[in-house]
Amino acid sequence: QVQLVESGGGLVQAGGSLRLSCAASGSIYMINTMGWYCQAPGKQRELVAGITSRGNTNYADSVKGRFTISRDSAKNTVYLQMNSLKPEDTAVYYCNVELFDRSIRRNTYWGQGTQVTVSS
């Protein structure tokens, strides 16, 4: 079994910054992609940023230049540095990890979600 533990959400004023973290643990053989999704009330969950095992990144257009995704492979942890936050960034943010477990089965896991609220 694999567990994802997220941290770092909270309430911040517009223009402020937050850093999200997501640590994976358990029966892990190799992690492929790691990413962050967000879901605002009444909306579908959507990709914010992703990072491959080689460090290639992709971002939603709405966050390019403001958010930075990174990973520490030794710690099985992915980060999302969020700068210049806007009220429209308010959402629950979910960590997503695709990996091979120790039985060499590929699965995708989700974190429990962390609330990010940006006040105007």
Side-chain angles (χ1 to χ4, degrees):
Q1 191 60 287
V2 173
Q3 298 82 38
L4 301 182
V5 178
E6 300 179 23
S7 61
L11 173 63
V12 65
Q13 288 188 333
S17 298
L18 285 173
R19 189 190 193 210
L20 306 183
S21 300
C22 172
S25 63
S27 179
I28 298 171
Y29 174 72
M30 183 180 71
I31 295 178
N32 291 334
T33 58
M34 309 181 84
W36 291 94
Y37 288 70
C38 70
Q39 187 167 19
K43 294 187 177 182
Q44 289 189 335
R45 192 174 298 187
E46 57 185 21
L47 177 69
V48 176
I51 184 167
T52 69
S53 57
R54 295 187 175 186
N56 296 319
T57 59
N58 63 293
Y59 296 92
D61 288 342
S62 61
V63 306
K64 285 180 180 177
R66 300 189 298 122
F67 292 8
T68 302
I69 189 170
S70 61
R71 64 190 282 174
D72 184 334
S73 295
K75 296 181 179 179
N76 290 335
T77 299
V78 61
Y79 306 96
L80 186 68
Q81 179 66 43
M82 310 165 70
N83 298 330
S84 302
L85 281 160
K86 304 176 180 180
E88 50 263 45
D89 295 321
T90 296
V92 178
Y93 284 73
Y94 296 91
C95 171
N96 175 274
V97 175
E98 181 191 85
L99 57 82
F100 286 96
D101 63 22
R102 290 176 183 165
S103 299
I104 318 299
R105 294 173 300 192
R106 187 170 66 182
N107 281 306
T108 299
Y109 295 88
W110 291 92
Q112 78 279 12
T114 185
Q115 177 70 46
V116 171
T117 302
V118 184
S119 63
S120 56

